[in-house]
Amino acid sequence: MTTTYHSTRGASPAVPSKQAILEGIAADGGLYVSDQLGEAKLDLATVCSQDYHANARLVLGTLLPDYTPDEIAQSVSAAYGPRFDTPLVTPVTRVGSDWLLELFHGPTSAFKDVALQMLPQLMARAQRSRAAGERVMIVTATSGDTGKAALDGFADVAGTGVTVFYPAGKVSDIQRLQMVTQRGGNVAVCGIRGNFDDAQTEVKRIFADEALRTRLAGRSVVLSSANSINVGRLAPQVTYYFDAYAQLVRAGALAQGDEVDFCVPTGNFGDVLAGYYAKRMGLPVGRLIVASNSNNVLTDFITTGTYDRERDFVKTISPSMDILVSSNLERLLYYLSDGDCDYVAHLMVRLAERGSYTVSDEVIARLQETFSCGFATDAQTREAIRYTWEGSHVLIDPHTAVAKHVLDDRHHSGRQHVCLATASPFKFSSDVLAALGEPTDGLGDFQCMDRLAALTGLTPPAQLSGLRDLPELHQDVCDRDQMGAFVEAACARVFS
Ligand SMILES: *Cc1c(COP(=O)(O)O)cnc(C)c1O
């Protein structure tokens, strides 16, 4: 089976999953989807009886059928080895009467690692099937965590470069340091004057720039994306929904077949969409709860059916979710409209031209069958951090706290609840310390990290505490309209 993926907007040719991963986004601006999703259900007894690596092989083998079993197996062992600090990769732990799915045990202490340690493996094996000598430049916009995870995943990978744009002044100090201290001869990092949506929109434009594509082809360079629009990032995230379920069954918290609810702190809609994929592939999911911060476009959309990005962008203490255009929603719209590409393309044109769209009653009804929603203000987020520490002795980061608030505030079902924990609390030390009621005035991020460690008796991950000793290597900041030129210059330097 080869040509399985095609664009949500229907105007690009169908391609095998390897090519979809190399391209990142389809040439017509759409996202790659497969109509085979859900045709094969995974066997739950098998899932529950095996470890993370085996579940990753099963999920990836199903979603990316043109990779050989050997290619998948090699990718899984390379991605999920000692760079994760636990062999469970994504352990499930208790929080009160609910569960936390801890997704931050990788090298950059955020959940993006689960996908971005895997994506370079998948890309390298896809490239081998293509023209010899072709080089790939990964271009990525980040709201804070993707950037570092992409840099870490792709640094010094042969035949590959990586360029990251982050919104200057709109990421945490630790997030910025993680990126600007990145070593590697093939990396480029640049702040942009604007917010994440500006960066993401411009990156999409760069991918669609025919003239640039032709110039780069002259140097045997193709561009690709490590953003969650890439199906090679989405597919690895499906694994941990299945694996979390397996852990809960083994812990005796679930009988095989019981439904479970997942509450997901959401920005670009990649993480929660992976939960929807898992459900389509046979995981007994009750509800998927989309938790937003004050940039609550998705809360409004799921409640009313109108997606309206024309509102003020709010800078919050959960910066990786400060997003008004959730790209992966396009994939969900495709599936909920039974694969109606013209309909999806029409909605996306509306969004680009008018800043909003409204879906049909049928689509919204289908959406609400599976998805619930809610949001947390910064005050509610801080409150959730405080009471979770005081009540359950579990320290959570602001993104996880958004989900915790939404879960506790408005979601009650007879099912087990799993909250996705997306970052180490030490990545956001000053906000977490302040949420615990401690003074932070005049303290730098590392002093806050030390205080937080002393207060809680927990040890910050070495890759975060060690940042204070590293030199800052990347100083560039540019305007949105200079990003294309920055990419071209990075290609010239990296592939000289
Ligand atoms: C990226 C990110 C999110 C949001 O995930 P999406 O897939 O963009 O919805 C939530 N929390 C953290 C810590 C993140 O880095």
Side-chain angles (χ1 to χ4, degrees):
M1 198 192 309
T2 43
T3 49
T4 52
Y5 280 83
H6 64 83
S7 167
T8 44
R9 301 187 194 177
S12 300
V15 297
S17 63
K18 282 182 176 171
Q19 195 178 333
I21 286 172
L22 284 178
E23 287 179 25
I25 186 167
D28 65 359
L31 275 54
Y32 279 113
V33 284
S34 163
D35 290 335
Q36 271 105 11
L37 176 67
E39 263 176 25
K41 309 282 184 216
L42 303 192
D43 179 56
L44 217 47
T46 306
V47 168
C48 293
S49 71
Q50 54 187 23
D51 67 3
Y52 195 93
H53 282 215
N55 279 327
R57 290 194 294 268
L58 181 62
V59 167
L60 294 173
T62 307
L63 286 172
L64 311 173
D66 52 313
Y67 283 82
T68 66
D70 269 356
E71 286 174 328
I72 295 281
Q74 288 159 8
S75 300
V76 168
S77 20
Y80 301 133
R83 302 223 59 204
F84 281 76
D85 67 16
T86 158
L88 289 174
V89 186
T90 62
V92 175
T93 56
R94 267 264 175 223
V95 58
S97 56
D98 297 325
W99 303 91
L100 278 187
L101 171 51
E102 296 185 0
L103 302 174
F104 51 77
H105 290 270
T108 78
S109 306
F111 96 96
K112 306 289 197 295
D113 287 327
V114 182
L116 281 166
Q117 289 296 306
M118 174 58 70
L119 183 63
Q121 302 298 331
L122 296 174
M123 277 195 175
R125 286 168 182 88
Q127 242 176 309
R128 268 180 224 153
S129 318
R130 300 241 304 196
E134 185 180 82
R135 285 110 29 117
V136 179
M137 175 57 86
I138 307 294
V139 182
T140 284
T142 180
S143 57
D145 290 325
T146 293
K148 176 61 184 185
L151 290 165
D152 188 283
F154 285 100
D156 292 329
V157 172
T160 306
V162 51
T163 303
V164 166
F165 294 104
Y166 67 92
K170 297 192 176 64
V171 299
S172 85
D173 226 28
I174 302 275
Q175 287 177 317
R176 187 186 69 84
L177 277 174
Q178 281 188 300
M179 292 186 271
V180 302
T181 58
Q182 177 69 44
R183 286 175 227 254
N186 66 339
V187 305
V189 179
C190 186
I192 70 142
R193 295 180 198 97
N195 60 36
F196 171 72
D197 288 315
D198 297 327
Q200 177 165 257
T201 306
E202 185 61 16
V203 165
K204 284 187 186 166
R205 195 204 58 76
I206 288 171
F207 282 122
D209 184 337
E210 289 290 343
L212 178 64
R213 192 194 305 252
T214 308
R215 284 199 299 279
L216 292 177
R219 314 168 139 263
S220 302
V221 175
V222 291
L223 298 182
S224 186
S225 166
N227 276 103
S228 58
I229 49 180
N230 192 315
V231 68
R233 255 192 72 180
L234 191 57
Q237 297 181 171
V238 177
T239 302
Y240 50 71
Y241 284 91
F242 278 100
D243 190 74
Y245 191 92
Q247 290 185 57
L248 287 174
V249 168
R250 286 201 292 269
L254 290 179
Q256 193 187 304
D258 287 352
E259 287 190 337
V260 58
D261 295 344
F262 290 95
C263 185
V264 188
T266 296
N268 221 2
F269 209 78
D271 203 2
V272 70
L273 184 73
Y276 176 76
Y277 275 45
K279 184 176 167 72
R280 293 279 300 253
M281 292 164 74
L283 190 69
V285 174
R287 298 200 72 78
L288 292 166
I289 305 152
V290 178
S292 303
N293 63 24
S294 292
N295 295 294
N296 56 355
V297 203
L298 288 167
T299 316
D300 290 348
F301 174 62
I302 295 168
T303 311
T304 67
T306 295
Y307 193 99
D308 184 1
R309 65 142 207 241
E310 294 298 319
R311 59 180 77 204
D312 289 338
F313 179 93
V314 187
K315 188 173 178 296
T316 73
I317 60 169
S318 45
S320 303
M321 296 156 63
D322 288 346
I323 292 176
L324 292 179
V325 182
S326 298
S327 297
N328 268 296
L329 192 59
E330 182 169 344
R331 285 195 168 99
L332 183 66
L333 295 172
Y334 174 84
Y335 288 115
L336 293 179
S337 65
D338 287 328
D340 188 342
C341 294
D342 293 341
Y343 181 65
V344 174
H346 157 81
L347 294 177
M348 293 304 123
V349 168
R350 288 233 155 194
L351 184 64
E353 288 176 356
R354 304 188 190 176
S356 71
Y357 60 77
T358 300
V359 296
S360 68
D361 290 348
E362 200 184 333
V363 166
I364 194 64
R366 285 197 181 178
L367 182 73
Q368 289 170 349
E369 270 170 31
T370 301
F371 291 88
S372 302
C373 60
F375 75 99
T377 63
D378 275 356
Q380 289 166 328
T381 306
R382 290 193 189 94
E383 181 59 15
I385 293 172
R386 189 194 57 73
Y387 76 70
T388 304
W389 174 249
E390 288 175 1
S392 311
H393 226 67
V394 175
L395 192 65
I396 56 176
D397 97 288
H399 304 78
T400 309
V402 166
K404 184 82 172 90
H405 168 82
V406 169
L407 185 65
D408 293 344
D409 189 46
R410 40 161 68 208
H411 189 78
H412 305 280
S413 74
R415 297 177 287 264
Q416 296 286 336
H417 306 140
V418 179
C419 218
L420 274 62
T422 48
S424 160
F426 288 102
K427 207 162 176 177
F428 304 93
S429 290
S430 58
D431 286 318
V432 173
L433 190 64
L436 296 182
E438 296 293 311
T440 55
D441 279 357
L443 294 185
D445 261 25
F446 292 106
Q447 288 167 306
C448 290
M449 194 185 284
D450 293 341
R451 288 268 185 103
L452 190 59
L455 186 75
T456 58
L458 302 170
T459 309
Q463 65 260 18
L464 296 184
S465 53
L467 283 173
R468 70 186 94 192
D469 304 320
L470 299 180
E472 295 192 24
L473 304 171
H474 308 275
Q475 311 284 1
D476 293 304
V477 177
C478 75
D479 289 320
R480 180 174 156 179
D481 60 5
Q482 297 167 319
M483 287 167 58
F486 185 88
V487 170
E488 220 170 336
C491 289
R493 179 172 56 77
V494 167
F495 301 123
S496 61

